[in-house]
Amino acid sequence: MSIGSEFKEFISRGNVVDLAVGVIIGAAFGKIVTSLVEQVVMPPIGLLLGKVDFSNLEWVLVAENPATEEIEKVAIQYGAFINTLIQFLIVAFVIFLVVKAINKLRRKQAETPAEPAAPTTSEALLTEIRDALKSRPLN
């Protein structure tokens, strides 16, 4: 089997295509969550905390020297970290809800009893014989 045909077989499997779709949708969902956090959730929180823009919150370890053109500032940007943490929590919660819904559907499918299998021909014949013997009068 050539490498080309093996690759074609690999890429045409359902799992690979499902994974690719999941990654693409996940990336788009990540952008939506980022926008939600940065543009909807954090502004009101910043307003409540005294008109603070969370994305600019930082602890400056080394300040910039205005006399030089080089960027010398060293800072811990904890505001960006808080934004990322909130984004993670939102994504994790949504994934939890999706997994919970899938598990609920699986439980419902497992609870529905499967129909009993039809009797084999020998079982059907034995059932007929039994019924005939029961209906026969005893002498």
Side-chain angles (χ1 to χ4, degrees), residues 70-82:
E70 292 182 33
I71 299 175
E72 301 166 337
K73 180 170 94 171
V74 177
I76 297 174
Q77 298 175 337
Y78 67 93
F81 176 75
I82 291 171

Side-chain angles (χ1 to χ4, degrees), residues 17-75:
V17 174
D18 292 344
L19 178 63
V21 169
V23 168
I24 292 168
I25 289 175
F29 182 69
K31 290 180 182 178
I32 291 170
V33 170
T34 299
S35 175
L36 173 72
V37 170
E38 290 177 357
Q39 298 165 351
V40 177
V41 174
M42 295 312 286
I45 292 174
L47 184 64
L48 289 173
L49 296 177
K51 298 182 181 178
V52 176
D53 182 9
F54 265 82
S55 61
N56 294 330
L57 292 178
E58 59 186 24
W59 286 314
V60 178
L61 302 175
V62 177
E64 284 198 41
N65 185 354
T68 62
E69 292 184 17
E70 292 182 33
I71 299 175
E72 301 166 337
K73 180 170 94 171
V74 177

Side-chain angles (χ1 to χ4, degrees), residues 99-127:
V99 169
K100 184 177 177 179
I102 289 171
N103 287 340
K104 186 176 181 180
L105 288 174
R106 285 185 182 164
R107 272 188 241 117
K108 280 186 180 179
Q109 288 175 349
E111 288 175 2
T112 54
E115 292 186 26
T120 62
T121 53
S122 59
E123 289 174 341
L125 183 60
L126 288 172
T127 304

